[in-house]
Amino acid sequence: MGKTSLSLGLVSALKGRGVNVGFMKPVGQQHVSVQGVDKQTGQPVKLQVDKDCRLFNEFFSLGANYSHMSPVVMRAGQTKRILDGGKESMAGKLLKDIQGAYQCLLGDHDFIVCEGTGHVGVGAIGGVSNATVAARLGSDVVLVSEGGLGSAFDEIYLNRQACTMAGANVVGVVLNKVIPEKRDMIEQYFKLALRDWGIPLLGCIPFDNELERKANFDVEKLFRTEMHPTHRKTHLFDHPVGITIASGTLREFETALENNVLHKQAIVVNESRTDIIDCLCRGHHPGNLVIVLGAHNRKSMGPLELLFSKCPSLYLPESGEHAAAAVVSSFQGHVAKFNEFDVARTKRATEVIARNIHLDEIMRACHP
């Protein structure tokens, strides 16, 4: 959808205006461990918070209390515990915690950006859907959908209905990942489609190829392995523009390198292709990430050891006829989340979003 990228852009744009802005993820799912403060004792303690809260707190140097930014994290099995404990009473406690955290943030900031989790109905089985939370907080809602016309409007329609049922106030819509060539047309007709509801289109974000590119850091996490320490220092946040399998002849491979066909591509090669590995060891690799597939759960000696010392490389204990195709499929299907470590990609997201939202309208809509 683009909730995190929109939130990044909003916080950045508001800070650029000198607004004292805070961030909150009322109900989180994917969590990380951070250093926080115990609400009862005030003592330092390790907290499990939504990963986006760590991203915003560190990237923007917000200095916020993590307990307020991420009051509820739905860990595995949490829904069952809510239902076992009596949904009404358990959900009531969670909503109370969320409301208390929100009020604390309001006391310290002039504007709070709250990021939902998934579509507006997520969390409904536990009584804490995004729509219910927004209604309880009295927080205005901006709906986000990926660019398009009919399908995007249908998605917005369903989410708006859920908000209406919960009593949450929808003030506008933002479209994300709109095909640049269709942007003017989609913006024109989406405004017409929203006219009957009396709400504005608050942003139309063009699709940006660079934001889709995962870093080597993300590839490491995807395949649960690491590059040589030397290359982790210098190439961890390189962004491959695509991925290709080195399966042809050596001459074909050399020609592709010479003609820059493989420029910045991740290259998948089987450890048996010693001819290609030797070519890469000779230095014919313009910043490529090399993913080596083998039959063992370790790096082989000889040519591979040299390869790993000379260029950014990952070793995967994968073999078989379809191993390379499976690696390519996993690489292409993986959507990298924004994080505070890949500063260049996260910074670009803030800039792209901030340039393409109607900030004045958003501020007026959320402060009638």
Side-chain angles (χ1 to χ4, degrees):
M1 289 182 186
K3 295 182 301 300
T4 302
S5 56
L6 174 60
S7 297
L8 283 167
L10 268 175
V11 171
S12 178
L14 288 165
K15 284 177 69 68
R17 291 278 187 93
V19 176
N20 181 9
V21 58
F23 175 82
M24 182 184 195
K25 191 82 175 273
V27 180
Q29 288 181 316
Q30 298 180 38
H31 57 276
V32 294
S33 181
V34 299
Q35 188 70 41
V37 177
D38 186 274
K39 286 186 284 189
Q40 270 77 41
T41 66
Q43 297 299 309
V45 65
K46 284 288 185 182
L47 299 175
Q48 296 298 310
V49 302
D50 185 89
K51 61 179 181 54
D52 287 333
C53 292
R54 185 178 69 179
L55 161 62
F56 279 79
N57 213 14
E58 296 197 11
F59 185 78
F60 291 111
S61 301
L62 297 178
N65 186 323
Y66 277 115
S67 296
H68 300 156
M69 295 180 76
S70 182
V72 172
V73 176
M74 300 290 278
R75 300 182 182 84
Q78 180 77 350
T79 298
K80 291 179 181 177
R81 288 191 288 273
I82 291 173
L83 295 174
D84 287 338
K87 178 176 175 179
E88 187 174 343
S89 60
M90 291 288 285
K93 180 185 181 307
L94 294 179
L95 288 170
K96 185 177 179 181
D97 290 343
I98 293 169
Q99 197 162 16
Y102 183 71
Q103 290 302 319
C104 288
L105 285 173
L106 276 180
D108 295 330
H109 302 90
D110 301 321
F111 201 105
I112 310 296
V113 174
C114 297
E115 181 187 342
T117 300
H119 57 73
V120 298
V122 169
I125 191 171
V128 286
S129 72
N130 291 307
T132 299
V133 170
R136 174 62 70 93
L137 298 180
S139 177
D140 294 312
V141 176
V142 175
L143 296 176
V144 187
S145 178
E146 288 199 1
L149 198 53
S151 60
F153 186 82
D154 294 345
E155 182 179 275
I156 293 292
Y157 175 86
L158 289 174
N159 282 284
R160 180 174 177 268
Q161 289 292 96
C163 286
T164 299
M165 289 177 61
N169 181 39
V170 177
V171 297
V173 170
V174 170
L175 295 180
N176 190 37
K177 296 185 180 180
V178 177
I179 297 173
E181 295 76 18
K182 296 184 177 181
R183 183 182 174 194
D184 290 344
M185 179 274 291
I186 288 174
E187 190 166 11
Q188 175 188 350
Y189 282 99
F190 219 92
K191 286 178 179 178
L192 291 175
L194 293 174
R195 190 166 55 185
D196 289 343
W197 293 348
I199 61 175
L201 182 63
L202 296 171
C204 200
I205 317 300
F207 180 85
D208 187 299
N209 273 317
E210 291 192 33
L211 293 182
E212 300 302 302
R213 294 173 188 161
K214 56 189 74 63
N216 291 341
F217 168 82
D218 302 300
V219 182
E220 281 190 342
K221 290 174 65 179
L222 172 63
F223 294 116
R224 299 179 182 178
T225 186
E226 289 187 356
M227 295 184 289
H228 188 282
T230 300
H231 299 298
R232 293 195 90 240
K233 292 179 181 178
T234 54
H235 294 284
L236 191 59
F237 294 104
D238 289 354
H239 297 82
V241 300
I243 188 167
T244 189
I245 300 172
S247 58
T249 67
L250 174 60
R251 186 57 200 146
E252 289 171 337
F253 183 74
E254 288 175 330
T255 300
L257 284 176
E258 290 165 4
N259 294 332
N260 285 328
V261 174
L262 301 180
H263 185 62
K264 293 188 177 180
Q265 292 269 330
I267 298 171
V268 181
V269 59
N270 192 285
E271 67 177 352
S272 64
R273 291 300 306 267
T274 54
D275 54 343
I276 289 177
I277 290 171
D278 180 60
C279 172
L280 291 166
C281 286
R282 294 197 304 269
H284 303 296
H285 51 84
N288 298 87
L289 172 68
V290 182
I291 302 176
V292 182
L293 308 186
H296 310 288
N297 193 22
R298 61 181 176 82
K299 303 181 185 71
S300 300
M301 299 300 287
L304 278 188
E305 187 177 69
L306 181 60
L307 173 69
F308 274 73
S309 68
K310 282 186 170 291
C311 65
S313 307
L314 298 173
Y315 185 88
L316 305 184
E318 303 285 349
S319 60
E321 182 181 357
H322 304 295
V327 167
V328 170
S329 179
S330 295
F331 180 99
Q332 292 176 331
H334 178 66
V335 179
K337 299 295 186 180
F338 290 104
N339 58 73
E340 66 273 26
F341 308 110
D342 191 353
V343 175
R345 181 170 177 258
T346 301
K347 186 173 185 293
R348 183 174 180 85
T350 68
E351 293 168 349
V352 170
I353 299 296
R355 282 198 308 267
N356 292 283
I357 55 175
H358 308 311
L359 185 61
D360 289 331
E361 282 193 64
I362 291 174
M363 293 182 72
R364 282 196 300 270
C366 296
H367 287 84

